[in-house]
Amino acid sequence: MTGPRGKAGTTLPLRKARDLSTVKLTDIEKRFGDYVAVHRMSLEMPEGGFVTLLGPSGCGKTTTLRMIAGLLDPTAGEIQIDGKRVNDVPIHKRNLGLVFQNYALFPHKTVADNIAFGLKYRGVGKSETAQKVKDALELVQLPHVAERYPRELSGGQQQRIALARSIVIEPDVLLLDEPLSALDANLREDMRVELKRIQERIGVTTVFVTHDQSEALAMSDQIVVMSAGRVEQMGAPQDVYNTPGSEFVARFLGASNIVEARCTARDETSIVLEAPDLGRIVIPADRGPQVNGTGPVKLVLRAEKLALSEDKPSDGVISHSARVETVDYQGQAARYFIRLGELQLQAINMIDTHPHGEGSEVSASFRPSDCTVLPA
Amino acid sequence: MNRGMGWSLIRFWTFLVYIFMFLPVAVVVLLSFNASEFGAFPMSGLSFRWFVELARNEAILRAFQTSMILGALTALISTTIGVLASLALIRYKVPGQNLISTILIAPILVPEVVLAVALLLFLNALSINKSFALLLAGHVIFTLPFVILVVQARLVSIRRDVEEAAMSLGASPIQTFFSITLPLLLPAVLAGGLFAFTISFDDITGTLFWKPGGVETVPTQIFAMLRNSISPEINALGTVMIALTVGLPLLGLAIARRMSANSGG
Ligand SMILES: Nc1ncnc2c1ncn2[C@@H]1O[C@H](COP(=O)(O)OP(=O)(O)O)[C@@H](O)[C@H]1O
Ligand SMILES: [Mg+2]
């Protein structure tokens, strides 16, 4: 078999060998009757990027994805793929890869025929189709299942075939709606790595939908946190995680302590807070970009940034004595619920040898630069 | 009376009911192989002569042909309309969905005589004459609910996202229907078609009302022949009818089961 094969020995174009597409949403809105599922949403997804729509169930992730796919018409706004308006382009002309939670393989076709399905509509010849199917199966590491029927495969294998079927057509954009949610926990983590590897290899612009924050943090270049049909925050995983832009994001991603405080002064370089039981805290100004005047604010401190220790704390940290009330032992780490004056806080710390015991007195310390300040 | 006794009685009654239902059928089948001129016991020998006579009887052959054509057309039209109606009702939001659904299913619930008379009166009011087309229309109305029920049941089990996946891969809605939906629906379409054929082939009440003069189907032909005498030919014809109306649905079910096993449900 000879054919146009790249260096990597595959007919599928890899990252460098292809034109990458952008997706742009401008003020899109979706109403179902009176109910607004997506509010005036604007987003720009970079070419070749892996963008995740993350949010709790019912926040409008699927609705947004289906509008990009062309399965739903937006009530208002514009959708562009590669700079071209696609609002009026039907789904079968958008050249998209679509992967669903329940695989959606064609039950009456073999694996090979499933993968070849989209090639039929692209005028790909017989021998080229066979080669592409073979390459796609190799890419998802299932070279020997071509002649089987979907029902003869495990869930994880079926999802790999669904992925192979959607990327073999060289889509401009790959859309995935909770593709790992139907899999067992262990398999899910393996598939997460696998999916990311494949996406990086072929470099297709990808929009991924999930309600699982660890999937989002592990896989994405950009996370779009959504709540009730609106974008709460968009940014790189570390930025969204470390600098939550709203109380919703702080609570939804990881475990956070949120303390009511007062801003007593603010200048170019710092924000001065007065918080009950924590006293006066001076925080770098870039940790509270949304705070512009004095008054009530919210202080956000991630649970893993609150360090508990029996020794004296080091310099440059704020430290208070506290008492451990409950210990949730997790093996390599533990989650502690502590009482610090009137405040109840949580801390997630790695365990050296033994966790702190319940009822023990500890010093709880944190760096001001690990805090985030949000308007109240 | 103790429990064991009660159950024995119930079993006995059930047995009697079955005998009552099936004995006449068995008698007809048995007598159709009787060598004697008279359709009665005792049988004087085993013979296929009545089946041969049957094959020579012009009137019966014509009736048989009419029934086959009528049944086949009914099945064809019923399944086509049935599939389209099911798609409209399940896949698309059609205004007045519930009403349409009820109207389409209603002929099952209405006694056949009422339906037959109603259609006839309706056509009289429009001063349309009886014709083969009218007979066919009657049979379609009468068999449609069965087809719709079978096809709808299957259609709800075909996941929408499978069709959406096909469209995302480049298939237009029509290509998606023919390459994905219809093949997955095929067991139900075949089963529905066979049901429609069997019901049409078997029908007498509606047919008596609707058929134009001079046209006979197998059941109306039997009915007409019975008015003169009970010929052993009728027994043979009955046996053929039983074989067809029992055999076809069984065959249909077997095929449907086989195909749905292959397509994974
Ligand atoms: N076809 C529809 N008709 C009416 N409401 C819908 C429809 N599809 C989704 N919704 C509503 O829109 C909201 C967002 O749904 P969805 O996008 O599926 O959420 P997510 O995928 O984030 O869980 C939900 O409240 C849901 O009930
Ligand atoms: Mg969803």
Side-chain angles (χ1 to χ4, degrees), chain B residues 108-252:
Chain B
I108 283 190
L109 308 170
V110 179
E112 200 180 344
V113 189
V114 176
L115 190 70
V117 173
L119 184 60
L120 207 55
L121 290 178
F122 178 63
L123 288 159
N124 264 350
L126 297 177
S127 38
I128 295 174
N129 289 327
K130 289 202 219 176
S131 65
F132 185 78
L134 165 63
L135 179 58
L136 180 59
H139 277 211
V140 168
I141 292 173
F142 190 57
T143 55
L144 198 53
F146 296 93
V147 176
I148 289 181
L149 287 179
V150 174
V151 172
Q152 277 192 348
R154 175 85 186 167
L155 194 57
V156 291
S157 78
I158 298 177
R159 299 185 52 93
R160 186 80 179 117
D161 55 14
V162 173
E163 295 167 334
E164 289 172 350
M167 288 194 278
S168 78
L169 292 166
S172 68
I174 290 178
Q175 287 165 331
T176 300
F177 175 76
F178 283 106
S179 62
I180 305 296
T181 318
L182 191 57
L184 291 174
L185 213 50
L186 208 52
V189 173
L190 281 185
L194 277 172
F195 272 132
F197 181 88
T198 313
I199 292 166
S200 158
F201 198 84
D202 205 32
D203 181 73
I204 185 155
T205 315
T207 310
L208 281 176
F209 281 90
W210 299 326
K211 75 186 179 65
V215 171
E216 301 289 348
T217 64
V218 175
T220 62
Q221 180 66 29
I222 294 177
F223 191 61
M225 285 163 73
L226 280 175
R227 272 188 235 156
N228 304 330
S229 66
I230 300 186
S231 132
E233 263 183 327
I234 292 179
N235 290 331
L237 192 52
T239 303
V240 172
M241 287 283 286
I242 290 166
L244 270 177
T245 52
V246 175
L248 273 183
L250 287 181
L251 180 73

Side-chain angles (χ1 to χ4, degrees), chain B residues 20 38-39 41 56 67 72-73 78 86 93 106-107 114 148 159 174 183 193 196 198 216 250 261:
Chain B
F20 182 74
F38 308 100
F41 288 106
R56 290 210 189 105
S67 275
L73 286 177
S78 249
S86 306
K93 294 266 169 276
V114 176
I148 289 181
R159 299 185 52 93
I174 290 178
T198 313
E216 301 289 348
L250 287 181

